[in-house]
Amino acid sequence: MSPAMLILWLTVQTPYAAATPSDVYAPPPVRPFEPSEAFALSAPMSGPRLEPLTEPETLDRFRLGYRTGPEPLDAAYNQAVAAAEAQADAMAGPLDGSWLVMQDGRALGRLVLSDWTSGALDGAFGDGVAPATPLSGRREGGRAELALPGGALTLRHVRDGWTGRWKGETVTLKREP
């Protein structure tokens, strides 16, 4: 095989060769913090960087310690990510997260819910057998209602979690770790 044919064959085999110019990068759907273009300019400036050691150095001359702390720009980014996460947590209601639907000590399924402060609930329910199904519902204070396969799940908040009725049976929600 000639070199030109080999190069052409290798180019056709690469995934980027199949991409069209109209394929634009789409960011992932969940990002806790996306720095703006001016983030690096607004963050504290970095101090002098330590150069890597190129020859042995004695311990008595190693004045600055063995490891340097985070750069101010790294610390500012980590602080912004933590602030974005705290803001997202503040916008979440008490049913937000992953739950096991329990009945008499056994799990009937798993709920993953987004509980917005407006009271709207959305998420998915899976029983481990069939594919997970999307769901929606509403929470008002300590009461909630979700449309699940097999009927509505009505919940009320109790001291140690949530309990309710589903398919005519009493169920409890247990927070999944």
Side-chain angles (χ1 to χ4, degrees), residues 11-164:
T11 304
V12 171
Q13 297 298 316
T14 57
Y16 58 82
T20 64
S22 63
D23 291 342
V24 179
Y25 167 76
V30 176
R31 293 189 297 201
F33 173 70
E34 183 69 22
S36 65
E37 291 179 12
F39 178 75
L41 299 176
S42 64
M45 294 302 294
S46 297
R49 286 188 174 262
L50 294 176
E51 294 298 319
L53 295 175
T54 56
E55 59 186 47
E57 186 162 354
T58 61
L59 291 177
D60 58 339
R61 292 190 57 218
F62 205 78
R63 300 179 318 257
L64 300 177
Y66 292 105
R67 295 184 181 192
T68 61
E71 291 289 321
L73 187 60
D74 296 332
Y77 178 82
N78 291 338
Q79 183 180 9
V81 169
E85 183 179 3
Q87 182 181 12
D89 288 345
M91 292 173 42
L95 278 170
D96 196 80
S98 184
W99 299 86
L100 290 175
V101 180
M102 306 291 291
Q103 180 184 38
D104 298 328
R106 65 182 180 93
L108 301 177
R110 179 176 177 224
L111 284 171
V112 178
L113 296 172
S114 291
D115 182 2
W116 309 102
T117 53
S118 64
L121 297 169
D122 59 359
F125 172 80
D127 60 5
V129 178
T133 57
L135 62 90
S136 62
R138 187 113 188 105
R139 179 189 51 80
E140 293 178 12
R143 298 196 177 277
E145 186 166 339
L146 299 166
L148 291 181
L153 169 62
T154 58
L155 296 168
R156 63 184 167 81
H157 189 261
V158 293
R159 182 170 19 112
D160 55 346
W162 293 82
T163 187

